[in-house]
Amino acid sequence: MQLDDLYQEVILDHYRHPRCSGELAEGEALVDEENPLCGDHLKLAAHIAGDKLTGVKIQCQGCAICTASASMMAEAVNDLPLADIRKKSAAFLAVLRGERAASEEELGDLVALRGVAEFPLRVKCATMPWHALEAALKRLTP
Amino acid sequence: MSFEPLKLRADFPALGRVFDDGRRLVYLDNAATTQKPRDVLKATRRYYEESAGNVHRAVHRLAAEATGLYEEARQKIAAFIGAPSPKQIVFTHGATEGINLVAHGWARKFLNAGDELLVTEMEHHSNLIPWQQAARAKGATLRLVPVLADGTLDREAFRRLLTPRVKLLAVTHASNVLGTINPIAELIREAHAAGARVLVDGAQSVPHLPLNVAALDADFLVFSGHKMLGPTGIGVLYAKPELLDAMDPLLTGGEMISRVWDDHATWAEPPQKFEAGTPHIAGAIGLGAAVDYLAKLGHDALRQHELALTAYALEKLGAVPDLKIFGRAPERLGVVSFALEGVHPHDVAQFLDRDGLAIRAGHMCAQPLLRRLGVPAVSRASFYLYNDRDDVDRLAAALLAVRKFFHAT
Ligand SMILES: Cc1ncc(COP(=O)(O)O)c(C=O)c1O
């Protein structure tokens, strides 16, 4: 079994230095997600300016895959139009579910996470931040 | 008898597994579930191949054989835990069901508003949530005995909390996270002196420790077959006869009745009263074979082996830099939970899996305890009769490699 596909350098870098990351005070977070299987925990804050999502901030307590996925997601969606975020989210989740091949054009840096699809037990680690984002978008655009 | 894990390993087909890269499986997740020896596999298989009748129902030969094997398993298990009578052995699907059976059939029947239930901070969720539910349903109060920094119970707090309002103490004999073996005989004595009944969660202890339930004077004892070489889906509730008589069944239906009329029914005598429907016959027979295997080995020899191996593991893991071990109780099982600084337990387990080592990572179904420990998850290695020093060496080497990988830059 090859772990290099899973733990690529770019993933480790995001794990060690998560972007758009910081403590979120009580009431500041839009969503508070927990993976009951492993206890991983993620809070997300953001707001909408015009047609864009902005001010994405994440507090994540999780494994390397979860933390890196959250960090890469934050970078990828911050200041992006909501319509593009929804497209990106759908594409990313489909790749992680193994439903289609990853395209760098569509996913950008996120393609680094495609290897996770080969590890069924870890797919949830990578998708949890995106599910949190979907929940946040629902709350922001009722 | 001296212990030869390598020879014993040959009895377990799954432990002969070699992965594609040529590495042999090192199975260190025994607190979650254990591997099965050939004797157990053979016993269940023989039931399906030769004697697959239902129990307590028909007169044909297969039914008679099935009933005989099923009841023989009950007798073996009774003898194994020192139960005065096999009638005190109720087959369940596992420890979880046993606890739920007591929470519904006994606690909800006899608890009153204002009563208290006492558990500890080191309980598995299965010995916590049924009591939360029972307390809520009956207006009773649930209290938790704190765990001290070394992983032992706070005995002073225990005595303070043990008021005459406490109707039941539900406590694990040994912790599936910290490895701590609780002084169960003393806890039972003190609880009884205060007028409380005691349920012992033996899921982690019955597979590893010599135990005599009658000498302990436990009111209820639950355990699971799959953690002691037996099949999944079979477990045991032991209880004192007067409690089994007083308790209500959780499931009703066939096989648990005495007489049935249009609008009501009377119950069979225990243990049948609690075994509605067709039970896990093959599972019970397999558990009987597992108990035979363990009895032949001898609990004292097993304990000595695990003590020596655990001491060795604590020494080897203690030498891994940045590794923190949770739980330092003097009396402990071969269960070692740890955290490697800067590496999440899931990532640790993923790397160990690549190296052929099976360990557990996560919250161990003990979220309140992990909250006290101040971590969301831990890694856990847990040993059994077929593990040896070589397994521990492989574990330590793999942990050093993980650390190197994550700390490289
Ligand atoms: C201490 C303890 N109690 C109860 C259980 C529940 O056992 P089961 O899932 O077999 O019902 C476990 C299993 O992990 C355990 O470790």
Side-chain angles (χ1 to χ4, degrees):
Chain A
M1 186 184 294
Q2 274 301 339
L3 284 189
D4 298 348
D5 289 346
L6 192 57
Y7 294 95
Q8 294 179 29
E9 199 44 54
V10 53
I11 291 176
L12 289 172
D13 182 59
H14 277 271
Y15 173 50
R16 293 190 186 111
H17 314 286
R19 326 293 200 266
C20 309
S21 155
E23 290 269 319
L24 286 175
E26 195 77 33
E28 204 185 333
L30 280 170
V31 288
D32 189 333
E33 291 256 323
E34 196 159 332
N35 181 346
L37 274 179
C38 57
D40 284 357
H41 190 175
L42 182 144
K43 291 192 218 176
L44 186 150
H47 48 267
I48 289 179
D51 68 338
K52 288 181 177 168
L53 189 73
T54 165
V56 176
K57 191 170 160 191
I58 291 177
Q59 181 183 342
C60 178
Q61 193 178 43
C63 62
I65 304 304
C66 181
T67 308
S69 178
S71 168
M72 295 168 89
M73 175 187 83
E75 234 180 20
V77 303
N78 208 14
D79 296 324
L80 207 65
L82 298 184
D84 294 353
I85 292 176
R86 293 205 168 93
K87 256 188 256 162
K88 203 171 272 256
S89 172
F92 181 79
L93 292 173
V95 167
L96 272 264
R97 282 194 296 261
E99 288 166 8
R100 61 160 133 139
S103 109
E104 187 139 15
E105 199 181 318
E106 231 175 348
L107 293 180
D109 287 352
L110 297 169
V111 286
L113 285 162
R114 71 181 149 203
V116 179
E118 307 290 318
F119 296 81
L121 294 173
R122 303 304 295 278
V123 167
K124 259 191 147 164
C125 308
T127 55
M128 184 168 96
W130 290 87
H131 290 307
L133 179 69
E134 281 183 343
L137 289 180
K138 267 207 192 101
R139 288 198 54 188
L140 287 169
T141 56
Chain B
M1 154 183 152
S2 82
F3 227 77
E4 296 183 73
L6 260 183
K7 266 199 194 147
L8 296 175
R9 214 178 274 163
D11 294 340
F12 294 76
L15 295 175
R17 187 157 173 194
V18 176
F19 295 110
D20 294 343
D21 59 2
R23 285 190 243 229
R24 116 182 130 77
L25 164 68
V26 175
Y27 188 77
L28 298 174
D29 196 14
N30 294 288
T33 197
T34 61
Q35 299 305 320
K36 322 301 174 199
R38 259 187 204 92
D39 290 359
V40 168
L41 303 174
K42 248 192 260 167
T44 52
R45 198 187 163 108
R46 222 178 88 193
Y47 163 71
Y48 283 125
E49 287 183 348
E50 294 175 21
S51 310
N54 210 328
V55 292
H56 303 302
R57 284 187 189 178
V59 294
H60 59 74
R61 245 168 285 183
L62 267 57
E65 284 167 15
T67 305
L69 289 166
Y70 184 69
E71 292 305 324
E72 188 190 356
R74 200 192 300 276
Q75 284 168 15
K76 288 177 185 174
I77 292 158
F80 186 72
I81 61 166
S85 161
K87 292 196 171 73
Q88 292 170 265
I89 303 296
V90 177
F91 283 121
T92 63
H93 82 239
T96 301
E97 187 189 330
I99 296 166
N100 275 278
L101 180 45
V102 177
H104 282 265
W106 184 82
R108 290 193 190 211
K109 186 169 180 185
F110 296 111
L111 278 185
N112 293 306
D115 285 347
E116 293 186 3
L117 293 167
L118 200 55
V119 300
T120 81
E121 283 181 355
M122 66 169 86
E123 298 313 315
H124 188 278
H125 292 160
S126 62
N127 197 28
L128 174 62
I129 298 162
W131 308 119
Q132 292 176 347
Q133 295 292 90
R136 188 165 305 132
K138 300 298 293 193
T141 304
L142 177 69
R143 295 192 197 282
L144 276 67
V145 180
V147 172
L148 298 172
D150 67 352
T152 60
L153 282 182
D154 184 340
R155 294 293 294 281
E156 272 176 40
F158 172 67
R159 285 184 197 117
R160 254 195 329 274
L161 289 166
L162 195 60
T163 66
R165 288 188 297 277
V166 175
K167 290 295 174 294
L168 177 80
L169 165 69
V171 59
T172 193
H173 189 178
S175 164
N176 64 312
V177 179
L178 304 162
T180 307
I181 299 172
N182 287 317
I184 199 70
E186 290 170 37
L187 298 180
I188 292 172
R189 208 176 312 123
E190 288 176 37
H192 281 170
R197 294 287 189 179
V198 182
L199 177 138
V200 177
D201 177 353
Q204 293 296 338
S205 62
V206 172
H208 301 275
L209 302 176
L211 178 147
N212 184 301
V213 74
L216 281 178
D217 200 26
D219 297 296
F220 304 99
L221 170 76
V222 299
F223 54 96
S224 293
H226 68 94
K227 292 183 198 284
M228 49 190 289
L229 313 180
T232 55
I234 190 77
V236 167
L237 164 68
Y238 158 93
K240 288 182 176 164
E242 65 271 25
L243 293 168
L244 290 174
D245 283 336
M247 274 166 72
D248 282 338
L250 179 58
L251 296 180
T252 54
E255 224 147 2
M256 55 76 66
I257 48 86
S258 169
R259 301 184 69 189
V260 179
W261 290 268
D262 283 1
D263 60 348
H264 72 288
T266 56
W267 308 153
E269 293 295 311
Q272 272 73 36
K273 172 179 158 186
F274 301 100
E275 295 180 2
T278 299
H280 187 8
I281 303 167
I285 295 168
L287 181 53
V291 154
D292 282 343
Y293 188 96
L294 287 170
K296 204 167 64 193
L297 216 56
H299 251 137
D300 292 320
L302 173 61
R303 178 72 181 138
Q304 288 313 312
H305 164 72
E306 290 185 4
L307 274 175
L309 194 59
T310 306
Y312 184 66
L314 290 172
E315 180 195 321
K316 291 293 281 192
L317 296 193
V320 176
D322 305 319
L323 186 138
K324 181 177 174 188
I325 292 171
F326 297 99
R328 289 288 186 181
E331 290 287 323
R332 64 180 301 147
L333 293 176
V335 169
V336 184
S337 290
F338 56 90
L340 195 54
E341 175 72 33
V343 192
H344 191 278
H346 264 183
D347 299 313
V348 171
Q350 188 81 62
F351 274 80
L352 265 53
D353 176 61
R354 179 197 56 184
D355 293 346
L357 291 116
I359 65 155
R360 173 84 189 272
H363 58 51
M364 311 289 145
C365 298
Q367 286 185 8
L369 176 61
L370 264 67
R371 212 165 284 130
R372 301 298 185 284
L373 298 176
V375 288
V378 296
S379 303
R380 179 187 70 191
S382 49
F383 309 114
Y384 212 9
L385 46 97
Y386 36 65
N387 294 119
D388 62 6
R389 284 177 166 232
D390 184 48
D391 295 348
V392 173
D393 290 340
R394 291 242 333 241
L395 173 65
L399 287 170
L400 283 169
V402 179
R403 180 179 170 275
K404 201 167 146 205
F405 181 88
F406 277 89
H407 290 205
T409 45

